[in-house]
Every structure is written in C-alpha cells, then in structure tokens.
Amino acid sequence: MHFHWLAIVVAALAGFMVGGIWYGPLFGKAWMKARGLSEEQLKSGANMPLIFGTTFVLNLVAAFMLDHLYQTYDAPVGLHHSLVIASIIGVGFIATSIGVNYLFSRMPRALFLIDAGYWIVIYLVMGAIFGLLS
C-alpha cells in the first residue's frame, strides 16, 4: 500500500483551516448561541495549543484513513469518485451519527446543521484534495 503523504498532510491542514473559517466568521456566533456559550466562557480555562494541536492530529488521522479507504478500490480513484466517497462518509456516516446523538441529547436543530455541515464540508474538501493530488 502506498500512502499519499502530501495529500494526507494537505487534507489535514485544509480541514483545520475550514474549521477556523466555519466556526469563526461563518457560523461562530450562531454556534456559540446554539451551544449556549459566550466568548468569555470559551476563552476561560481553555488550553488552546492543546485543543488546536489535538484537532490537527485528529484531522491527520481522518485524512490517513480516507487515503487508506481510497486505496482499497481496484481502480484509481479520480476526483469524481473521491468526492462521491467523501460525501457518503460525511452525509451517510458522520451527519447521521451526529443527528442521532443530537436527537437524544435534545440539542438544537441549528447546532446539528452547523456541526453536521462542517463535517460534510471537511470530507468534501479532503476528498477533493485526494482526488487532485493522488
């Protein structure tokens, strides 16, 4: 098995950057409202280097596993199939899992849409990177 290390690192970095935009200028305030948090609460007691570092490592793991999945196919996976597979993961597995948890936790629908949307976009971005770089 030949791992595409450049694509893995680029996909992890892209996922990290999408998260900063998604939970920052795009949906940061709506996410805080849906979570019932203030900016002061988010800043107090948070070990941001640990949070960001762990987030990047988890994105690396996700990108590595996505690369591994693509390699299980007999034929090379191009951009189209890479995006289809990534959307199946994002919508079919991640969003549905979050949805079940949020239903039983009685979380607001807005929070589900923000968080599930984030994961769908993350996997689509990662899928596009693998489709273009692998």
Side-chain angles (χ1 to χ4, degrees):
M1 199 169 271
H2 175 263
F3 292 103
H4 303 95
W5 293 109
L6 177 63
I8 290 168
V9 172
V10 171
L13 284 170
F16 191 76
M17 291 178 3
V18 168
I21 295 167
W22 194 269
Y23 289 104
L26 284 181
F27 299 107
K29 292 190 186 309
W31 179 82
M32 286 189 299
K33 181 180 176 188
R35 281 274 179 201
L37 297 169
S38 67
E39 289 187 35
E40 295 77 31
Q41 289 173 307
L42 288 176
K43 291 178 185 175
S44 68
N47 183 344
M48 296 313 287
L50 177 65
I51 291 170
F52 286 135
T54 304
T55 297
F56 181 70
V57 169
L58 293 172
N59 279 336
L60 273 173
V61 171
F64 179 83
M65 299 309 277
L66 191 58
D67 187 40
H68 179 72
L69 175 66
Y70 289 145
Q71 291 188 49
T72 63
Y73 288 83
D74 291 334
V77 177
L79 180 60
H80 173 76
H81 286 103
S82 180
L83 289 172
V84 169
I85 294 164
S87 67
I88 290 169
I89 293 167
V91 174
F93 295 109
I94 307 291
T96 56
S97 299
I98 290 172
V100 169
N101 286 352
Y102 282 22
L103 283 169
F104 281 97
S105 299
R106 293 167 178 83
M107 301 299 254
R109 180 178 300 139
L111 186 61
F112 165 74
L113 293 173
I114 293 167
D115 289 341
Y118 162 73
W119 285 107
I120 293 166
V121 169
I122 285 287
Y123 274 95
L124 287 172
V125 168
M126 285 186 177
I129 289 167
F130 279 105
L132 295 170
L133 294 181
S134 297

